[in-house]
Amino acid sequence: MQASPEKLLWMYETMVEIRNYEETMANVYLEGKLPPQIQKGLAFDIGSGPVPGEMHLAAGQEPVAVGVCAHLKKEDTVVGTHRPHHFAIAKGVPLDKMTAEMFGKVTGLGKGKGGHMHLFDPEHKFSCSGIIGASLPPACGAGLAAKKMGEDWVAVAFFGEGAANQGSFHESLNLAALWRLPVIFVCEDNNWAISVPKSNATSIEWVADRASAYGIPGIKVANNDALEVYEAVAPAIERARLGEGPSLIEVKTDRYLGHFQGDPEVYRPKDEVSNLRKNDPIPKLAALLKSRGLMTDAEEGVIVARAKERVAGAFAFARQSAYPAAQDALNDVFA
Ligand SMILES: Cc1ncc(C[n+]2csc(CCOP(=O)(O)OP(=O)(O)O)c2C)c(N)n1
């Protein structure tokens, strides 16, 4: 399927927004966590500063989120991972409420009680979890619901290549295939599961090859490229909407930052990230848009400024919002 000019421009602007969001968060997250006597990267106080808790950022992985979500409508479900911001932004989760959640503020999606790995937005049908491999079963549930309701809605489960070795991966693919559920399983292969490279944990080169074991299509995207993802995913979405069942897609993508913020990354070859950044998908899509006459230099400036403004606005909203009241600490808590 050819991407329309509108889709291409949307993918570009959304990737710019995601990148700026992640880079802004990388800086804001460190506020208050690095006392002067502690060297950067060696240790910090994870509980202090305006954004407490762990932080997993997805800079570099934008093509996976936009290439898939460009096909979705509001009624479609997306279940993300512990590294969820790019998926949430591409699915249309409001930036203000999402950021406030990470700041622990009462205006957040979960009234500030979930944090960055637990973003729940029923209106935009988005959720995620800190549990690895936990995205696949709920996506099957959403797919089953859509099927029983007679709707053409689809559900997308995003997960890492590390998660693909969890039992939940196999159980979900089996059930979705058996019941012909409208689910698109998207493996975001950034080659690392914390410090473990894929070759040390996965018996085959492509997780997508496992699709044949369940009798469903397995689609491989070898490049970290938004347009390639968009085109590769199209038949899977169509198949799901037609009631023909699930597909498994694997995208080779690049993680530019540490597994978590503060990760000293001693396990990573020194020049790996600088080499990966040479294939940055954002300038690549900008060049394509310009070569097709869809964006001028001036328009690029407007798009980038607009995306950055949205991000800055969300961080300002989060900072200005109030913390939940102490007497509400046990409300909305079920475990
Ligand atoms: C069930 C479970 N086991 C272990 C962990 C600890 N853990 C957090 S992230 C991670 C690696 C995940 O790797 P991958 O699925 O490739 O995703 P990526 O971090 O590369 O996005 C692990 C093992 C967890 N959160 N949940």
Side-chain angles (χ1 to χ4, degrees):
M1 179 198 270
Q2 287 284 316
S4 66
E6 293 73 29
K7 290 279 183 206
L8 286 170
L9 284 162
W10 178 85
M11 288 198 283
Y12 179 66
E13 183 159 348
T14 307
M15 288 211 291
V16 170
E17 181 173 324
I18 293 168
R19 180 69 58 84
N20 185 248
Y21 191 89
E22 299 295 64
E23 287 174 347
T24 304
M25 181 54 86
N27 286 327
V28 171
Y29 179 72
L30 286 181
E31 281 176 26
K33 288 188 175 59
L34 295 169
Q37 68 272 25
I38 297 178
Q39 276 181 46
K40 187 179 177 199
L42 287 186
F44 58 72
D45 181 355
I46 200 171
S48 68
V51 184
E54 265 197 292
M55 180 56 62
H56 311 85
L57 300 177
Q61 301 183 189
E62 299 87 357
V64 190
V66 302
V68 174
C69 292
H71 291 282
L72 303 183
K73 46 189 182 184
K74 199 172 175 189
E75 295 80 7
D76 297 327
T77 293
V78 168
V79 190
T81 66
H82 59 293
R83 195 181 304 287
H85 308 166
H86 53 328
F87 306 131
I89 292 171
K91 185 60 174 53
V93 173
L95 221 48
D96 289 5
K97 289 184 180 180
M98 172 175 138
T99 312
E101 183 60 31
M102 299 182 213
F103 276 67
K105 298 296 182 75
V106 73
T107 51
L109 290 167
K111 300 182 191 168
K113 290 178 182 168
H116 110 99
M117 286 184 273
H118 304 107
L119 307 172
F120 296 96
D121 183 353
E123 191 190 336
H124 297 89
K125 298 180 90 172
F126 180 85
S127 64
C128 57
S129 163
I131 306 298
I132 300 307
S135 60
L136 298 95
C140 290
L144 179 61
K147 188 173 171 142
K148 284 199 175 288
M149 289 163 76
E151 302 285 358
D152 73 344
W153 305 340
V154 303
V156 177
F158 289 105
F159 53 95
E161 87 293 338
N165 295 324
Q166 290 280 95
S168 58
F169 167 90
H170 298 280
E171 294 169 40
S172 300
L173 262 71
N174 179 56
L175 207 62
L178 182 68
W179 291 351
R180 293 164 81 90
L181 300 180
V183 181
I184 296 99
F185 297 103
V186 182
C187 179
E188 191 181 36
D189 177 4
N190 62 15
N191 192 46
W192 291 103
I194 310 185
S195 57
V196 180
K198 187 182 185 187
S199 57
N200 280 17
T202 303
S203 58
I204 48 174
E205 164 69 14
W206 284 92
V207 167
D209 284 335
R210 293 180 180 166
S212 63
Y214 300 99
I216 64 173
I219 300 168
K220 299 171 183 173
V221 182
N223 295 306
N224 193 29
D225 179 276
L227 187 53
E228 277 187 45
V229 176
Y230 180 85
E231 288 173 356
V233 168
I237 303 270
E238 193 185 358
R239 175 178 147 85
R241 290 207 197 284
L242 290 172
E244 293 170 5
S247 303
L248 171 64
I249 292 143
E250 180 174 9
V251 183
K252 301 267 188 198
T253 189
D254 299 326
R255 194 191 84 197
Y256 290 170
L257 302 173
H259 170 72
F260 59 93
Q261 290 308 287
D263 177 359
E265 296 189 82
V266 287
Y267 52 84
R268 217 169 183 190
K270 287 225 170 339
D271 55 353
E272 184 181 293
V273 173
S274 55
N275 282 331
L276 296 178
R277 282 184 184 270
K278 288 180 192 154
N279 294 317
D280 191 328
I282 296 181
K284 198 174 163 194
L285 187 53
L288 182 108
L289 286 165
K290 288 177 191 176
S291 73
R292 292 192 184 176
L294 297 175
M295 183 173 78
T296 62
D297 287 344
E299 285 162 348
E300 180 183 21
V302 171
I303 289 171
V304 171
R306 199 162 58 201
K308 287 185 174 175
E309 200 177 312
R310 282 198 295 274
V311 172
F315 277 82
F317 173 83
R319 283 189 196 274
Q320 285 153 16
S321 293
Y323 285 107
Q327 64 266 27
D328 291 332
L330 297 180
N331 293 339
D332 307 311
V333 175
F334 302 102

